[in-house]
Amino acid sequence: MKSFPNQFLWGVSTSSYQIEGAIHSGGRGESIWDRFSSLPGRIADGSSGEMACDHYHNWEEDLGLIQEMGAGAYRFSTAWPRIQPLGSGRFNTEGLQFYSRLVDGLLSRGIEPWLCLNHWDLPQALQEKGGWTNRDTAMRFVEYGWKVLEVLGDRVKHVIPHNEPNVLSILGHGIGIHAPGLQDASACFASAHHLNLSHGLVSRELKICQSDLQLGPVVSLQPVIEQDRDQNASERLDALWNKMFLDPVFFGTYPEILEEELKPWIHEGDSEILQFKPDFFGLNHYTVMRAQSSGKSALGVRIMETPAGLPVTDSGWEIRPEAMLEQLLEFRERYGDVPIYITENGCSSPDQSDASGEVQDPLRTQYLRDYLAAGLEAMEQGVDLRGWFFWSLLDNFEWAEGYTKRFGLIYVDYETQQRIPKDSYRFVQKLIQENTLPD
Ligand code: IFM
């Protein structure tokens, strides 16, 4: 049995579009995911976040389940179009009040709110003006972030400006399988730079207004395994995916092999804005990646499927816990000693409730056990790992996969909105209670 440090923070993560539903309620404006989901063929089961887990109405039950699990923190995101329906101008009091109640509900249950300002649901009105490819969106983001913290900052002490800006930029603007659905290299690089810029701008602004805030970037990092001796493809994907969003934060620069492509979007003085000493780094980690050069892809590189015969999750992602250790060590090597939180880790599995109404998900429990063991090993090797947020609290809308993939520790029956804690929920509950990973 191996124990975690006493102060180790246990948490769970969700995001607004994936769980809230109620997209037409409370004065919320349209988001790019509402628009994207409505396009034929974009979502595997033709669904959208319209109902999702209806967390907007069921939030108290959901917070009760977090409390029962014993988690000390909850990472959620505010939906920009719920707070500022058009992405500029008028703020929506009802939206702000919803999150204010949520934060109070968390604190009264002894759960720390970790707030993310952007988990991809940009107001559609800003997309009409170019979205993240427009430099002005970075300024609008600062205005929105400032308002959120003006209202919640007396109670929220941990803020993440963007969740996985690499996924938003690459899958949304370069490969086109996420909203806004663009397959355009220039759009990918423009959005990347503006997301980075807005990260630096909003972080500075919020720190000035509230010096006790803890702020940090959250990026999905997955080691790239070289395949078919295609070294160029691996290096390019590694630069795009793993470095294009952290080098700017830590060094104020971009990886050399991407400089030319990013140059058109960079203004004089941007480097100073990009670089910002974060209080922590949030690592989202699930799997590894393999790359192949491809003239058909706007980015010149294709992300390959996992080769047959390897252990995979229901999403087809390779299960390779040692990559978690590798990733944590590599991060420290490149960016130095920064407090790290795993802000997402988990897996999809084809869960069903059985005759007695239980949900058994042995694949997930084993996955978590192995990845947690890799985290413990990293700590033994000196990595400053401070906490772990499981993805996800609930089964939810898994973007382009719709509701076909279940990532929750809690099963959601989407017909009835009934919540059923899975076996993995009990595993996590025990883990938190004992602060120890059972053998
Ligand atoms: O569901 C997503 C989440 O929104 C961002 N990180 C990866 C998860 C699983 O795909």
Side-chain angles (χ1 to χ4, degrees), residues 35-46:
R35 182 66 65 93
F36 184 73
S37 309
S38 73
L39 303 174
R42 297 308 188 115
I43 310 296
D45 55 4

Side-chain angles (χ1 to χ4, degrees), residues 14-17 20 75-79 99 116-119 121:
T14 63
S15 89
S16 45
Y17 192 72
E20 280 181 7
R75 187 180 80 112
F76 66 100
S77 71
T78 46
Y99 294 112
C116 172
L117 289 165
N118 169 28
H119 201 120
D121 41 2

